[in-house]
Each structure stands twice: as C-alpha cells, then as structure tokens.
Amino acid sequence: MAEILPADKAMDRALALLGAGEVVAIPTETVYGLAGDAMNGEAVARIFEAKGRPRFNPLIAHVCDMAMAERIGVFDPLSRRLAEKFWPGPLTLVLPLREGAGIHPLTTAGLATIALRMPRGFGGELIARLGRPLAAPSANASGRISPTSAAAVAASLGGRIKLVVDGGAAPVGVESTIVKAEEGGLRLLRPGGIAAEEIEAAAGVKLLRGAAGVQAAVQAPGMLASHYAPQAAMRLHVGEVRPGEALLAFGPNRVPGWQQAVMMRNLSQSGDLREAAANLFAFLHELDSSGAATIAAEPVPMEGLGEAINDRLSRAAAPRDNGGGDA
Ligand code: AMP
Ligand code: MG
C-alpha cells in the first residue's frame, strides 16, 4: 500500500520519487493529482498505467512560476493577462507548445499545444524544488470520481503507487477551468473551479463555447495536429511487411519481410509496454517523416498500457475525412 505522509513531512520523499521517474499523488487546490515529471516519458506512462486509463489524452503540465510557464508555452497577451490575474489558481490555459521545451510528447498526446496551470501550495513548492514541470491528472483510477482527500486517493490507487501526500481536503474540490485563446476570442474548453463570468470580466470578452470544445478538439481524428495523426496510412496487427512500408515494431521477434521496411522503429525491444508508451508518439512521427505511404504496425498486446497504445494506433489508422467522431 502507498505510504501517506502529511504535506509538511513529505517534500524530500516526493522529490526523490519524482526525480527517479516515479509518480506521487499530491494535493492541489482543485483535486488531488497523480504527478509525474512531464519531461520524462516513462514517468508519464506510469501515470496512465497507475490510473488504468484506456487512452492517452493530453495532460495538464503544472508549473511553479511565469518563467517556467514561458519556457513551455507561447503566451499571447490575453492568456498572459489571465495568468497574471488567476495564477496560482484553478485556471488552465491551452497555448502553443514552445519548440524545444522538452515536454514529452506523451504529456501532450503529440499535440502542438500544451495545457498549463500553476497550482497553489504544496504542488507549487514541489515543482519549484524539482525545477521541472509536473503532469498531473486527477489521482483516481480511470472512470472513478476525482479525489479530494488523501484517503480517497489511497482507496482508489493505494495499491499502485508509493506515496500519497496528505494536504487535507482540497479547497476547490472540482477540476480547473480550461480556456484557450484563439483567432477572434477565448474558448471555454472545460468549466471548472473559476466561474466563466470571472474570466469574462478579467478578459473583457465573452467566452466562446460549444462545438470546438475539448472533447472535439482532442478526440476527433479530423481535427488533430499533424503529428497526432500521421500522413501515412496505417496497417495494424500486421503479419508481414509489404514493399515500401515503414515498420512500427514491438518486442524481440520481427514479422516476415521486416528487412525490406523503409524505416523501422521498435517501441520496445524487450516488450515493455511502459517503454512502448513513452516511445509511441515520437516513433510514429519519425516513421511518418520517412515518406512511406504506409506504416505497418506489429501487434501490441491488449494488457496494461497496451490498451491505450492500441487505442491510439486505431485512431491513427481511422479514415481522416469523417469529420470526427470518437471511434
Ligand atoms: P485532467 O488533467 O484529468 O484534469 O484533464 C486534462 C484536461 O485538459 C482534459 O480534458 C484534456 O483533454 C485537456 N487538455 C490537455 N491538454 C490539452 C490541449 N493541448 N488542448 C486541449 N485540451 C487539452
Ligand atoms: Mg479526472
């Protein structure tokens, strides 16, 4: 079972675990978060693994100050004004991801944008001490409600993680409000801990709502950023490689014809699903840039993180012109 330490005694232990690429449940003002180093793919893979999430959705990267935020996201004037007004606090801003920011693609699910938030209290201090941003979705098993106490985290994830930091009841108790500045306005992607009216008052504009909301934006294959959905066609669970194909391999054994692949990347030579998850977005991108018309993917087992990997592969293989739909 996870160790539960009060926040005033947990800092060193949390830093040691996070520095080693492990995950730690931490209190924030919204809900408890399951935190991992947002720059370390295996740490982010562990977040999905511990939650048992069947898909890789983009996570919020948590920062400790504006300097760290500016190293990661490209701020427009309106987003900067909202950050000045509401940070630290329960507001998440979606911004263009700065090139070379070092955020692992599993954190953004391969998107060219990044969701950023600056939490209050223990989380902010932890990030400052670590000197690195933390990815941190709610610290509950997938499909369960978000935890607002250390006991709720331990009940849901206690058997799968090493440390829960107890900061008492989460004061806001709901997730952050997510907004994104876009051409001609500011879009509400998810309602949350800061009321839309408060944001509108600070921004001086009405929030856009509706169709292009967060689910549509990140889940509809037709709307995805280019390195989220490859240009190449995808063939899944292949039994052989055909001429002209690039190969996304998995494990120690190759399918027949692998020698003729125009490029090959192995998600994990040893068959480790966590390593495979950490490599997935970068390798799809590299194989796509080979110019091959088709990427052939060897079978990946449907256990543990394999479910999310297969979900992502089938989205990449889905027809591109269907206008979306959460296949
Ligand atoms: P959670 O961390 O579980 O509170 O959820 C994070 C939310 O932020 C999810 O609804 C994501 O879909 C959303 N999100 C994260 N990154 C982005 C992004 N780059 N663009 C749009 N939405 C995002
Ligand atoms: Mg959640």
Side-chain angles (χ1 to χ4, degrees):
M1 278 306 277
E3 185 179 7
I4 303 180
L5 286 176
D8 60 355
K9 299 204 166 61
M11 185 59 75
D12 290 346
R13 176 95 175 107
L15 283 170
L17 285 168
L18 291 168
E22 293 283 346
V23 297
V24 176
I26 60 167
T28 85
E29 70 274 63
T30 56
V31 300
Y32 275 69
L34 185 61
D37 181 348
M39 303 173 81
N40 176 339
E42 298 221 4
V44 182
R46 280 197 171 90
I47 295 175
F48 287 102
E49 189 176 42
K51 286 180 64 82
R53 261 203 192 166
R55 26 179 94 130
F56 297 127
N57 58 330
L59 304 178
I60 297 169
H62 295 74
V63 298
C64 59
D65 55 28
M66 274 314 282
M68 186 182 276
E70 302 256 12
R71 284 199 295 276
I72 299 171
V74 180
F75 280 77
D76 57 278
L78 185 52
S79 296
R80 188 172 286 112
R81 184 176 343 149
L82 294 174
E84 278 161 11
K85 167 97 180 149
F86 295 108
W87 281 1
L91 177 70
T92 295
L93 298 166
V94 174
L95 303 169
L97 177 63
R98 192 177 289 287
E99 209 172 316
I103 295 293
H104 193 276
L106 200 51
T107 300
T108 55
L111 293 169
T113 52
I114 178 87
L116 283 182
R117 181 168 100 78
M118 190 190 295
R120 273 183 212 292
F122 181 86
E125 198 186 324
L126 179 66
I127 296 159
R129 295 276 296 272
L130 190 68
R132 297 163 79 87
L134 292 177
S138 55
N140 52 281
S142 179
R144 311 281 286 282
I145 58 168
S146 298
T148 56
S149 69
V153 176
S156 187
L157 294 181
R160 305 191 197 170
I161 63 177
K162 293 185 176 153
L163 177 64
V164 180
V165 180
D166 188 350
V172 177
V174 296
E175 285 86 352
S176 58
T177 305
I178 306 181
V179 298
K180 181 184 185 189
E182 51 181 51
E183 206 71 40
L186 188 64
R187 188 169 294 277
L188 179 67
L189 298 182
R190 177 178 78 183
I194 295 181
E197 294 78 3
E198 267 188 87
I199 296 171
E200 289 176 337
V205 294
K206 276 276 189 203
L207 288 172
L208 306 168
R209 297 163 186 256
V214 66
Q215 297 311 328
V218 302
Q219 293 190 351
M223 297 175 67
L224 299 173
S226 63
H227 48 304
Y228 200 38
Q231 300 291 311
M234 301 252 350
R235 227 162 46 82
L236 305 184
H237 317 292
V238 301
E240 84 292 313
V241 177
R242 297 175 187 162
E245 289 183 333
L247 177 62
L248 185 67
F250 176 81
N253 306 312
R254 296 287 65 74
V255 291
W258 67 272
Q259 298 93 333
Q260 62 179 323
V262 298
M263 184 190 277
M264 177 172 79
R265 289 286 178 276
N266 194 336
L267 289 170
S268 170
Q269 179 67 30
S270 66
D272 176 349
L273 288 164
R274 189 185 296 147
E275 183 186 13
N279 286 329
L280 179 63
F281 288 101
F283 285 4
L284 272 178
H285 189 47
E286 285 175 36
L287 293 174
D288 203 25
S289 7
S290 75
T294 303
I295 299 171
E298 289 182 354
V300 175
M302 270 301 271
E303 69 211 33
L305 284 172
E307 190 179 353
I309 293 171
N310 279 300
D311 171 74
R312 173 48 47 218
L313 289 174
S314 40
R315 282 160 193 278
R320 305 295 148 68
D321 58 354
N322 64 359
D326 186 10

